[in-house]
Amino acid sequence: MPISTWVPPPPPNPDTLVNPAPFKPFPLIQLRAGKIKKSLGNGKIESAIYKGPLTGPVEITELGIPTDEHAFHLHGGPDKALLHYCTSHYDEWKKELPASEHHFKPGAFGENLFNTEVSEMNLCIGDRLAIGDIVVEVSEPRGPCYKLNHRFEVKDMAKRTQTLLRTGWMYRIIKTGTITAGDMISLLERPHPEWTIARVMYYLFIETSNVEMMKQIVQLPQLGWDIKGKFQKRLDRGVVEDHNSRLFGGEDEKMDAWNEYRLVEKRRETSTVTAFIFESIEDIPEPPPVEPGSHVRLKLGGKLVRAYSVVSGTSKRFELGVALDPSSRGGSKYLHSQTKVGDILTVGRITASFPLAKTADRHIIIIAGGIGITAFLTAFTYLQETNQDFHLHYAVAEEIPFASQIAALGSKATIYNKSLGQRLNLPAILSKADLQTHIYTCGPPRLMEAVVATAKSYGIPESSVHIEAFTVATSGDPFTAELKQSGKTVEVRATESLLDALRAVGMEIDSSCEVGNCGTCRVDVCGGRVEHRGTGLLGEEMEEGAMLSCVSRGVGRVVLDL
């Protein structure tokens, strides 16, 4: 079972979860429905949790909204025709899980309808509600599953949801018809005021072996077959079912895109560069070493997600080097001034984004400037161990971060210290390159642009020049995006991002960092060629047809599953 540092608060007294006051009528805000997509787990897990708003009168049948799909065969059916969620919970989730704050907004739990006026605390099993012309009946609490962990990028989200009694609830349809936003929702009858949804959940998820309460629960005629069956099996067998597979999934289904790491060392390298060493909370047996050119994403409070080069280590324990940027939008400033040893941060998977070329076995020139050295520190170990012919040319203003690692390179490194009047001479360096030479560069934009231009002047093939940029440009050639589901065509201007263009035509696209780091604004691509930018997607996600709408661009024309 995955390890979690979360400590649940004391559970409520179940005797307080009874006899809620009847609620006053309130308006329906919105109806939502979704299609099955491989939208979770790096595009490997099917779900219809991403639902969009419906306009105009919506037909409601005995199975709910006809256009609403369910990836799991036990989701849906007469007892689970509609899912309702209390939007007041979103405010609580934001406070408790600020790193996933951008995900917590109405509709995110895959609900068909949402409101603040009703919740698991003031609705009871068997309550009948009128919504416009239709009548619904509260049938059972939602049984949360591991897909919520992926949806909110929280390893134990499903467990938190049921433990805190914030699952949402299901309706069966008593009277069919059409409803629309603005229709009033009112309470018609309440046959079991002693059995709120929250009280049923208490004995379903918290006090799971109370035989007397379970005997009462299974006698509720309106309780859905799924939940009633679970209680009846406990009574018949005297054993509580194993929740782990539902809450966390199997090995291929568990959420491992984000994990918890503890900051175990914070070491000043220079006046502006600090080294940060992180260690996994979860035990990782035989962790693989970090590959050359790897980066990792960190959630840094609120909506901040930033990617940094990994300078050494393994997936169990790794080191970063981060420069304090005077113009920082929060990332480096947060790490330098707000983190302390012992803090636990949410960390993404370590990913090789700037690997060494497989054919680079003869001569490698590495040109780095300032904090750009961090993109190569892991590579130096590999190059030395494999006896490759390489040379580092490193330009600094004055101080040298990670000086011991660079000194260990001996004659394979040349440092150009501006404070000592030493200058990097790119023509002199690149004139020694031949068609077998691979050139790697990372540093300020002016340095990288100069490397590219100088290499071109010497006839060095573009495929032999490798660049690792600190920032991601959002502009580029204009392109057309065809939206498969909605039938719309969107023209994306040269200075406009796809994300902005989609929002301009009314598409609801989640986003967070909007610089290509977090992956929140991912959209699925059905056809066409994509110029991928940013670090927010893994290689397999790009191969399986996804792009970052905030920074990546289509080439000519792309078809999106929107």
Side-chain angles (χ1 to χ4, degrees):
M1 184 174 119
I3 294 173
S4 169
T5 58
W6 179 59
V7 178
N13 180 342
D15 294 336
T16 66
L17 305 176
V18 297
N19 301 316
F23 60 86
K24 296 180 180 179
F26 60 90
L28 170 67
I29 298 172
Q30 191 181 82
L31 277 168
R32 301 174 72 89
K35 299 289 187 183
I36 297 171
K37 297 180 184 178
K38 289 187 175 180
S39 55
L40 301 174
N42 304 323
K44 296 177 182 178
I45 298 174
E46 286 189 337
S47 175
I49 196 169
Y50 289 94
K51 300 186 187 300
L54 302 175
T55 58
V58 177
E59 178 189 5
I60 305 296
T61 70
E62 289 184 356
L63 297 179
I65 301 171
T67 57
D68 193 35
E69 297 182 349
H70 306 279
F72 183 49
H73 70 284
L74 292 180
H75 292 171
D79 285 348
K80 304 179 183 182
L82 293 172
L83 172 62
H84 201 157
Y85 199 74
C86 177
T87 45
S88 296
H89 295 334
Y90 284 110
D91 294 332
E92 297 303 311
W93 291 125
K94 289 177 183 178
K95 295 174 187 174
E96 295 161 2
L97 297 165
S100 292
E101 178 185 354
H102 53 286
H103 291 305
F104 294 123
K105 55 187 175 182
F109 271 83
E111 62 265 35
N112 301 113
L113 56 162
F114 50 78
N115 290 91
T116 59
E117 293 87 351
V118 287
S119 72
E120 298 86 350
M121 299 291 185
N122 69 349
L123 280 177
C124 302
I125 300 299
D127 278 5
R128 288 198 174 184
L129 286 65
I131 308 178
D133 294 332
I134 75 167
V135 176
V136 301
E137 184 175 79
V138 177
S139 56
E140 61 183 53
R142 175 206 199 139
C145 75
Y146 66 90
K147 292 182 182 180
L148 293 179
N149 306 339
H150 294 274
R151 173 67 180 93
F152 296 104
E153 298 177 347
V154 177
K155 205 160 194 174
D156 56 3
M157 189 66 193
K159 182 179 180 181
R160 290 173 186 250
T161 301
Q162 69 179 39
T163 304
L164 296 172
L165 310 182
R166 300 179 196 160
T167 65
W169 59 95
M170 314 302 302
Y171 294 125
R172 66 171 59 88
I173 309 302
I174 303 302
K175 178 188 173 186
T176 62
T178 59
I179 56 177
T180 189
D183 284 348
M184 297 302 291
I185 301 176
S186 57
L187 180 64
L188 299 179
E189 57 182 277
R190 172 163 288 170
H192 305 291
E194 74 280 13
W195 284 108
T196 60
I197 302 166
R199 190 171 181 227
V200 171
M201 282 196 289
Y202 179 87
Y203 293 108
L204 182 63
F205 300 130
I206 299 175
E207 191 179 329
T208 57
S209 300
N210 191 317
V211 173
E212 182 56 39
M213 289 297 108
M214 288 192 285
K215 286 180 178 179
Q216 294 184 39
I217 292 170
V218 297
Q219 295 303 313
L220 297 172
Q222 297 89 349
L223 184 64
W225 61 268
D226 186 14
I227 302 302
K228 185 177 292 188
K230 286 183 170 63
F231 283 116
Q232 189 62 58
K233 285 181 180 178
R234 292 181 191 177
L235 289 170
D236 294 342
R237 301 175 183 178
V239 177
V240 177
E241 68 276 10
D242 183 2
H243 292 290
N244 283 339
S245 60
R246 173 175 58 83
L247 294 176
F248 300 106
E251 280 302 310
D252 295 334
E253 297 163 328
K254 69 179 183 179
M255 204 288 288
D256 62 354
W258 295 95
N259 294 280
E260 292 179 320
Y261 281 72
R262 180 177 283 107
L263 178 60
V264 295
E265 185 179 340
K266 186 174 179 180
R267 183 184 71 251
R268 182 64 66 89
E269 284 286 327
T270 69
S271 58
T272 59
V273 176
T274 298
F276 299 84
I277 298 179
F278 292 91
E279 195 167 89
S280 173
I281 296 294
E282 188 172 346
D283 182 43
I284 302 176
E286 300 181 10
V290 173
E291 294 183 36
S294 290
H295 80 274
V296 69
R297 290 180 290 159
L298 272 61
K299 292 187 177 184
L300 303 174
K303 295 183 178 181
L304 280 178
V305 179
R306 294 293 181 265
Y308 299 102
S309 296
V310 182
V311 302
S312 66
T314 67
S315 56
K316 171 66 178 175
R317 181 186 172 99
F318 65 87
E319 182 175 359
L320 305 179
V322 181
L324 179 58
D325 183 355
S327 60
S328 170
R329 295 187 301 113
S332 65
K333 183 178 181 181
Y334 182 96
L335 278 170
H336 278 255
S337 62
Q338 297 192 42
T339 61
K340 60 185 182 299
V341 171
D343 285 353
I344 295 174
L345 275 69
T346 302
V347 177
R349 234 183 286 170
I350 296 175
T351 306
S353 58
F354 190 42
L356 296 170
K358 299 296 183 183
T359 57
D361 57 358
R362 178 173 173 187
H363 185 207
I364 296 174
I365 296 175
I366 298 173
I367 302 171
I371 195 61
I373 192 66
T374 58
F376 304 113
L377 290 172
T378 304
F380 295 146
T381 302
Y382 171 81
L383 292 170
Q384 287 180 305
E385 289 176 350
T386 53
N387 295 315
Q388 296 211 42
D389 179 15
F390 75 96
H391 197 94
L392 166 67
H393 298 271
Y394 183 31
V396 297
E398 182 176 4
E399 299 173 285
I400 304 172
F402 302 99
S404 60
Q405 290 97 312
I406 296 170
L409 300 178
S411 61
K412 291 183 178 294
T414 302
I415 296 175
Y416 305 84
N417 195 317
K418 185 178 180 181
S419 67
L420 301 178
Q422 299 165 349
R423 298 284 179 174
L424 193 71
N425 187 333
L426 290 178
I429 294 168
L430 297 183
S431 64
K432 300 174 183 178
D434 57 28
L435 295 179
Q436 299 290 320
T437 301
H438 279 262
I439 299 157
Y440 294 82
T441 182
C442 183
R446 286 181 60 188
L447 171 64
M448 294 188 291
E449 290 167 4
V451 170
V452 171
T454 305
K456 185 175 181 180
S457 71
Y458 282 99
I460 298 170
E462 288 185 17
S463 60
S464 297
V465 181
H466 312 275
I467 301 171
E468 173 79 324
F470 291 128
T471 59
V472 180
T474 59
S475 60
D477 293 334
F479 67 97
T480 301
E482 178 185 327
L483 311 187
K484 182 179 177 181
Q485 290 187 39
S486 62
K488 297 178 180 179
T489 298
V490 178
E491 300 297 332
V492 185
R493 301 188 304 271
T495 57
E496 181 181 35
S497 72
L498 172 60
L499 177 63
D500 289 337
L502 291 173
R503 285 175 170 168
V505 296
M507 302 301 296
E508 286 191 356
I509 307 294
D510 286 348
S511 69
S512 177
C513 73
E514 299 195 8
V515 292
N517 282 335
C518 70
T520 305
C521 68
R522 160 196 169 130
V523 293
D524 293 326
V525 182
C526 304
R529 194 155 60 90
V530 175
E531 178 191 338
H532 290 288
R533 301 177 182 178
T535 57
L537 291 179
L538 301 177
E540 61 261 34
E541 291 179 283
M542 292 185 280
E543 292 170 6
E544 291 169 4
M547 69 181 290
L548 298 174
S549 60
C550 69
V551 292
S552 296
R553 303 189 69 80
V555 179
R557 188 181 189 89
V558 292
V559 181
L560 306 179
D561 191 14
L562 292 171

